[in-house]
Amino acid sequence: MESKDMNDSINRIMSASSPNAYLDGVASLKQAGYESSSFQLFVRHFFSGTAFFAFLFLLLVILYLLIRLRRNNAYSREVQEVVDWTNGPLSEWSEEYIFKYIPPTVIMSISSLKKQLNRQKVIHDEDTARIMEYMENISHQLKTPLAVIGATCERLCIHHPDIEERLIVCLAQTDKMAALIQDFLQLGRFDCNKQKMQFEYIPAVNLIETVINNLDIVAKKKQLEITECGEKDILWYCDIFWMEEILGNILKNCIEHSEKGAINITFGLLGSMNQIVIRDCGLGLKEGLEKKIFERYSSINRINLEGSGLGLSIAQQAMKLHFGTITASNRQEAGVEFRLSFPQLNPETIYS
């Protein structure tokens, strides 16, 4: 049987519109000697056409996926360009950027929002500068009459010793008012982001000993002993003035709320972090007040008749500018444990 006749027979089988046509095609294959392999020929003919279409379908799927991947990559690049422009300085959108996937209305909306945010930032900076200026002026104006009141009380103490005790109380309140004004001014600088830090290296042990020496007389009046221990060769890269303020405010709080005992200061390294732990021997904190103690005017949590209630809040704000934290917790033995933690900084990483 010639190849042409065989193909005609197979085509009649494949395109048969009636059972007779299908049977005639099978009979033709049997007469040609393909009785035992007619089915195999049929299958081979069928799958030769199916494989072609399957290969064509697979090729189309791969082509679709490549086009989709290219489109996604282009879309991602466009989005990244918009993000970079949004995070950058205020500037008009360059006409050289022509987008295929991001609608122009989106770009216009982002540009409008960016301009509004920039205007709000300028207004905010102007407001904070004005507020800080008002606070400094008020602080200066209040200190003058307080100084006059203090001088008058001291003069009256000399000429009227019979009312000296009352005048001493007035002098104490005057000093407290002056300290309160200074605390307000410091917190205002923190709130307005106007407080500048001057970082430099200092041995940790020297700074801690300075703080202890400044408060040793106050501690001895309450029969308290302040001890310190730690790694002597540690250097802190910090603002010396504010680190003394941080430690001093916490230590003063411990002294004010302790009686007849010891206050211990330990310091060292824990990984890449500086750790300072200050433990007092007071009554401790009421349950749930461990975080509130750092809120402003938190002296109601621990009896404090002398302080302004702002010392721990100032300490926490100053520690944040050292990229650190302060926590407080009750000790099992009695008293409170203050834990300070801030990273080992250096001139290369301080601004990164």
Side-chain angles (χ1 to χ4, degrees):
M1 187 176 186
E2 295 181 357
S3 175
K4 182 178 179 183
D5 295 335
M6 183 177 67
N7 287 336
D8 292 340
S9 299
I10 294 174
N11 287 333
R12 273 183 294 176
I13 293 173
M14 298 294 296
S15 60
S17 58
S18 66
N20 292 332
Y22 173 80
L23 294 175
D24 290 343
V26 173
S28 299
L29 289 174
K30 290 181 178 180
Q31 291 177 1
Y34 293 100
E35 181 176 359
S36 61
S37 58
S38 58
F39 180 74
Q40 289 86 341
L41 285 171
F42 168 73
V43 172
R44 191 185 314 132
H45 181 79
F46 174 78
F47 277 104
S48 63
T50 303
F52 171 76
F53 286 110
F55 174 76
L56 181 62
F57 176 76
L58 181 62
L59 187 64
L60 290 175
V61 170
I62 294 174
L63 183 62
Y64 168 77
L65 292 176
L66 290 175
I67 294 174
R68 184 69 179 269
L69 180 62
R70 183 177 179 182
R71 181 181 182 277
N72 289 341
N73 290 338
Y75 179 76
S76 298
R77 285 195 299 270
E78 291 184 1
V79 170
Q80 188 59 47
E81 288 178 359
V82 174
V83 170
D84 293 341
W85 171 71
T86 303
N87 293 332
L90 183 66
S91 61
E92 295 293 335
W93 182 258
S94 177
E95 296 182 356
E96 65 183 21
Y97 296 107
I98 300 176
F99 292 139
K100 296 181 180 179
Y101 305 108
I102 300 179
T105 53
V106 174
I107 302 298
M108 293 175 62
S109 299
I110 294 175
S111 179
S112 176
L113 287 172
K114 190 174 180 180
K115 291 179 180 177
Q116 292 179 19
L117 289 174
N118 187 72
R119 286 196 295 268
Q120 292 296 325
K121 183 179 182 301
V122 172
I123 293 172
H124 174 72
D125 291 342
E126 292 176 350
D127 288 343
T128 53
R130 194 176 299 110
I131 291 171
M132 196 65 236
E133 183 180 357
Y134 289 157
M135 291 184 67
E136 290 175 347
N137 290 338
I138 292 172
S139 172
H140 177 74
Q141 295 299 326
L142 289 176
K143 285 180 179 179
T144 301
L146 283 175
V148 174
I149 293 173
T152 303
C153 289
E154 290 176 356
R155 193 172 303 157
L156 288 172
C157 285
I158 297 173
H159 298 287
H160 301 278
D162 53 318
I163 58 172
E164 183 178 359
E165 292 184 3
R166 297 180 182 179
L167 293 173
I168 289 175
V169 173
C170 293
L171 283 170
Q173 292 300 314
T174 303
D175 293 338
K176 183 177 179 179
M177 180 65 72
L180 186 60
I181 292 171
Q182 186 62 30
D183 288 345
F184 271 129
L185 193 59
Q186 289 179 348
L187 284 173
R189 292 194 182 101
F190 287 127
D191 292 340
C192 296
N193 294 321
K194 297 298 183 182
Q195 184 61 57
K196 302 300 182 182
M197 292 285 161
Q198 297 180 352
F199 289 87
E200 57 185 297
Y201 284 108
I202 184 172
V205 65
N206 292 355
L207 195 148
I208 290 176
E209 287 178 352
T210 299
V211 174
I212 293 175
N213 291 334
N214 292 339
L215 296 170
D216 189 55
I217 296 177
V218 180
K220 286 181 177 179
K221 288 181 180 179
K222 302 188 71 175
Q223 300 180 18
L224 292 168
E225 180 184 4
I226 303 175
T227 62
E228 54 88 13
C229 64
E231 302 175 30
K232 306 297 182 181
D233 57 344
I234 293 178
L235 291 178
W236 288 345
Y237 189 68
C238 62
D239 185 297
I240 297 175
F241 171 80
W242 278 110
M243 189 56 70
E244 286 184 4
E245 285 288 303
I246 293 169
L247 297 175
N249 285 346
I250 294 176
L251 193 55
K252 279 189 290 186
N253 188 277
C254 292
I255 293 172
E256 290 168 359
H257 301 97
S258 299
E259 193 83 32
K260 294 183 181 180
I263 297 174
N264 180 254
I265 303 174
T266 60
F267 59 96
L269 283 173
L270 183 62
S272 61
M273 302 293 288
N274 293 299
Q275 297 281 341
I276 311 166
V277 180
I278 303 176
R279 300 181 179 93
D280 68 23
C281 55
L283 298 176
L285 299 167
K286 294 182 180 179
E287 187 176 354
L289 298 179
E290 289 83 357
K291 293 183 179 179
K292 290 185 178 181
I293 194 173
F294 296 103
E295 295 178 358
R296 298 177 186 182
Y297 311 109
S298 62
S299 59
I300 58 173
N301 300 330
R302 301 179 81 187
I303 299 173
N304 185 350
L305 301 177
E306 298 178 2
S308 64
L310 299 174
L312 293 182
S313 179
I314 291 173
Q316 187 185 56
Q317 294 295 325
M319 181 55 74
K320 287 181 180 179
L321 294 183
H322 286 80
F323 315 102
T325 58
I326 306 176
T327 59
S329 60
N330 284 318
R331 301 174 59 198
Q332 292 183 352
E333 301 85 353
V336 175
E337 175 182 286
F338 291 91
R339 188 173 294 271
L340 296 78
S341 177
F342 64 100
Q344 277 280 77
L345 303 172
N346 58 61
E348 287 72 31
T349 60
I350 187 69
Y351 300 109
S352 63

